[in-house]
Amino acid sequence: MNCKDSLNSKQQERVHYFARQLITADDLTQDQNYQREKHRLHNRLLHGWGIICGLEIKVLDASKPLIITICSGYALSPQGDEIFVPTEFQFDLGKCFAGQDASCHSCAPAMSGAVDPAKDYFIAIRYIECKSRPVRVPPVGCGCDDTGCEFSRIRDGFEVTCIDKLPDSHDAESHVLVDLCSIVNNTKVVACPQCPSDPWIVLAKVYEKGNLLNPPSPGDRRILLTTVVMQEHLQMQCV
């Protein structure tokens, strides 16, 4: 593993503004990309990824075990994107079995592979971008037909689906534990973590055949501890 592969990134460029400069959409987009990539890199290298709060899954009606409710919450994706679910919503697991659209989001449908209800499977979430607020683009020339529409906003969104196995990023063997004392004593160099290619974060595991939510192991439902949680824990231990 070399440094380029471990970071899976490159030096970012931001726009240098000067007087009488012609500003285009590419310039403004470049500044957005610069800030977003910096933010992703910060999240991934300094904080890690996982579920920060909420995103609990419940079955509110025992007579309809396939209709689950996903509670509001917040998580950081393996790539450093923020996944924010503002309100709870329902998700039909039956679509996963029938081979229909097994995803649930506010953008265009994305077909996912169906899972076998006779085997264990997982409910997962990932970050997506949703284009919104279409506006009419003024014509370039004098032609009456030279008009079109373009989306004027990009909204941060999410997608929930069923997967038949744990993502590679959840593999416990891929996480190397480092002795903290060796880092403090400068006898161990901390390697830069690789950027996972799989964007999914597992929310829950489902029993085979039983259609009952099974509390997943810590390796399945990855929790990201915040500074606030660790500070409160230390205060409780020291009192």
Side-chain angles (χ1 to χ4, degrees), residues 167-211:
D168 294 337
S169 55
H170 287 65
D171 185 4
E173 296 181 357
S174 64
H175 304 289
V176 179
L177 297 179
V178 180
D179 180 32
L180 291 179
C181 292
S182 64
I183 299 176
V184 174
N185 295 328
N186 203 27
T187 60
K188 179 70 175 180
V189 176
V190 180
C192 295
Q194 293 191 17
C195 182
S197 58
D198 199 316
W200 295 106
I201 298 179
V202 170
L203 300 180
K205 182 179 180 180
V206 181
Y207 277 119
E208 58 176 309
K209 299 181 181 179
N211 297 326

Side-chain angles (χ1 to χ4, degrees), residues 1-121:
M1 180 183 69
N2 56 45
C3 294
K4 181 179 179 180
D5 293 335
S6 63
L7 291 177
N8 192 24
S9 184
K10 61 181 180 180
Q11 292 289 356
Q12 298 297 318
E13 292 182 346
R14 63 182 185 273
V15 178
H16 173 232
Y17 296 100
F18 53 89
R20 297 183 301 279
Q21 181 182 7
L22 177 62
I23 304 298
T24 67
D26 289 339
D27 296 319
L28 300 177
T29 301
Q30 176 61 33
D31 266 5
Q32 287 187 349
N33 291 338
Y34 174 84
Q35 297 297 336
R36 290 179 62 82
E37 287 302 321
K38 284 284 188 179
H39 191 59
R40 288 190 182 103
L41 196 63
H42 173 93
N43 286 340
R44 189 166 63 83
L45 297 185
L46 271 72
H47 301 297
W49 62 272
I51 300 171
I52 296 177
C53 62
L55 297 179
E56 182 183 3
I57 293 184
K58 300 179 179 179
V59 178
L60 300 182
D61 189 346
S63 63
K64 300 178 180 179
L66 296 182
I67 305 299
I68 64 172
T69 296
I70 300 178
C71 299
S72 61
Y74 180 81
L76 289 182
S77 78
Q79 289 75 37
D81 290 299
E82 298 179 355
I83 302 175
F84 175 53
V85 180
T87 57
E88 67 178 34
F89 67 98
Q90 291 187 333
F91 180 54
D92 185 3
L93 296 178
K95 293 184 177 181
C96 298
F97 310 148
Q100 302 176 26
D101 174 21
S103 60
C104 180
H105 53 79
S106 58
C107 299
M111 295 301 293
S112 303
V115 297
D116 185 353
K119 300 179 180 179
D120 294 347
Y121 63 94

